Amino acid sequence: MKFAMRWGAPVVAVVFFSLWCVGEAGRMGGSFLAWNGGWPLVLMTLAIAIAAWIPWMSLSLTLALLVGQLSHVIPAMEPNHWAIYVGSFVALAFILWTAPKRMRYIAAGVNVVAAAVMTYLMLSWRYGDGVGWYRPSLYGDRGQLLEFGWQLFALLLLMAAACSAGGLLLALYQERRNLVRSQELTRNSLHEIEIDLVVEQERTRIARDLHDVLAHSLAVIAAQADGARYLSKDQPPAVLNALETISISARRALVDAQRVIEGVREDGMVTPQPQLSDVPALIEGMQRGSLKIQHGETGRPVDLSAGQEVAAFRIIQECLTNALKHGGRGTDVRLHLDWSGPGLTLHVASTIASSDHDKSGDLALTRVGRGLPGMRERAHLAGGWLSAGPDGEHFRVTVFIPYGTRASNLEDETAQADGWNPVAAVAGIDAKSVMAGAGLSSTATSERNTDNHG
């Protein structure tokens, strides 16, 4: 269909011209140039050839032929070649097939007018003088036109209608094919979307179920390990060390599992999780959003687990977002990271808007949406805590995330005292590797052990 739309008109034009040349070969007076139907045939052939490409030019060639004959520049039609006018209706068929709707209406109107002019040219004694169909006009054109004009005009319109019907049928057929193709594409797209939706829902359900199972199981493991450690004060330090390692590992596994589940994209791939090293870029982006952020840091940074770094980053991100949301553009925010204690302490203070300052007592309630509970949950899963609320002219958020470094010290002391570690004995690895894998250092473990034993 695409080939026919583009090249059908030129092919038909060549066939039209060839058939006329063959049919009039013996009546051209020995030369095409000497034949009175030469110019009409050339113009009608060109009108057909460019009908699908340049519709307005095709109509102009038809009108040029009629105007040329009216002005006697082009010879009038004779009995043997008046049917060259049919070329105009063939061009109309291609226009109705390929042209826009507006051009279709214009082409139909032009051809109705052209049919009327053709009728006059064929009947008038000044031009065709009946073209061999009708008796010559002996008393002027009036009687001839009144007697035969409507008959010839209706005949020409019938020819035009037959050609137009072919063009319109082709146009309707193509539109139907396009509609069917669009329906098939839409149906296939809906089917694929439905499959993706089902897969996404199932993935979400599995992720939720997996999180619930892991959260319950790992929480039970951590609680049982802590309970056994606190109730078994008379056990060797190595046993207490193993129980604490189990508790810490269970908590970290819970945080990491949540991080992985939250990082699953719709296509099933795992997205890169943010780290504390991404905080400067976050601050720069929020400053472009018209927050005035003062960033400070004290102490020597300590490596946190992947889950703890994600929790810290998300909490900072939520605090800055809340500051922009509730304080608006230009809000002063102070962000401080303190590494000098037994864990990372985050201090975030944002200025309370003047409109909210008088009702600061209710501000904590108004800010409790998903943000604060979510931050508290992240801090809790990271092994720490969070407090938030208005403090004078500021809304302050304080977060503590322990390093988890005390277990390693206890492991070192226990290894030195007994030379044996149950975790290493069972796993077949060295105790330092176990504690290093958990992200623990040696000094803090003995402190925690001492604290736990009172």
Side-chain angles (χ1 to χ4, degrees), residues 195-448:
I195 293 175
D196 293 340
L197 180 61
V198 171
V199 171
E200 179 61 25
Q201 289 176 345
E202 186 66 15
R203 184 183 293 121
T204 303
R205 185 188 65 80
I206 293 173
R208 189 185 301 114
D209 293 345
L210 178 62
H211 179 268
D212 293 342
V213 171
L214 287 177
H216 175 74
S217 301
L218 294 175
V220 169
I221 292 172
Q224 293 292 334
D226 286 338
R229 182 160 54 89
Y230 291 132
L231 294 176
S232 304
K233 296 181 180 180
D234 298 332
Q235 295 292 329
V239 175
L240 298 177
N241 181 26
L243 292 174
E244 184 173 10
T245 301
I246 293 172
S247 175
I248 293 173
S249 299
R251 288 193 179 91
R252 289 190 173 179
L254 178 59
V255 174
D256 292 339
Q258 184 185 30
R259 174 178 61 86
V260 172
I261 291 173
E262 288 180 350
V264 175
R265 296 200 308 255
E266 293 182 356
D267 55 1
M269 302 299 293
V270 177
T271 58
Q273 293 297 313
Q275 301 175 346
L276 282 177
S277 58
D278 299 322
V279 170
L282 172 65
I283 293 175
E284 182 180 354
M286 298 301 290
Q287 284 177 333
R288 287 197 298 266
S290 298
L291 280 181
K292 299 179 181 178
I293 303 175
Q294 298 179 9
H295 178 215
E297 193 169 356
T298 57
R300 183 177 180 181
V302 177
D303 290 337
L304 301 178
S305 69
Q308 288 178 323
E309 289 202 17
V310 172
F313 180 89
R314 293 303 185 193
I315 290 173
I316 294 174
Q317 185 182 42
E318 183 68 22
C319 289
L320 297 180
T321 302
N322 286 341
L324 181 61
K325 175 182 177 182
H326 296 283
R329 301 169 66 89
T331 301
D332 292 324
V333 180
R334 288 181 291 177
L335 170 63
H336 186 77
L337 281 70
D338 186 1
W339 300 90
S340 58
L344 170 62
T345 304
L346 295 172
H347 299 282
V348 184
S350 58
T351 304
I352 299 175
S354 57
S355 59
D356 296 333
H357 184 62
D358 296 335
K359 43 185 180 180
S360 59
D362 299 331
L363 186 59
L365 294 178
T366 60
R367 287 204 179 189
V368 176
R370 297 182 181 179
L372 290 179
M375 289 192 293
R376 284 196 177 94
E377 181 66 17
R378 288 185 181 276
H380 174 71
L381 291 176
W385 50 264
L386 178 144
S387 65
D391 182 13
E393 297 181 352
H394 296 84
F395 190 89
R396 192 177 303 277
V397 178
T398 303
V399 184
F400 175 77
I401 299 177
Y403 299 143
T405 57
R406 298 182 178 179
S408 289
N409 261 354
L410 180 57
E411 173 266 325
D412 287 344
E413 292 179 1
T414 304
Q416 292 173 2
D418 300 273
W420 175 83
N421 188 295
V423 175
V426 173
I429 57 175
D430 131 42
K432 291 184 179 181
S433 301
V434 174
M435 298 305 170
L440 308 177
S441 69
S442 299
T443 307
T445 307
S446 60
E447 296 175 2
R448 180 177 291 182

Side-chain angles (χ1 to χ4, degrees), residues 135-158:
R135 62 177 180 268
S137 302
L138 301 177
Y139 306 102
D141 295 335
R142 182 180 179 82
Q144 185 85 337
L145 292 174
L146 289 176
E147 185 176 358
F148 303 113
W150 289 107
Q151 298 177 17
L152 182 55
F153 181 64
L155 177 62
L156 294 176
L157 288 183
L158 183 61

Side-chain angles (χ1 to χ4, degrees), residues 113-136:
V113 175
V117 177
M118 293 173 189
T119 301
Y120 177 75
L121 288 172
M122 292 169 66
L123 291 177
S124 174
W125 65 272
R126 298 180 180 86
Y127 301 100
D129 199 18
V131 292
W133 278 30
Y134 306 97
R135 62 177 180 268

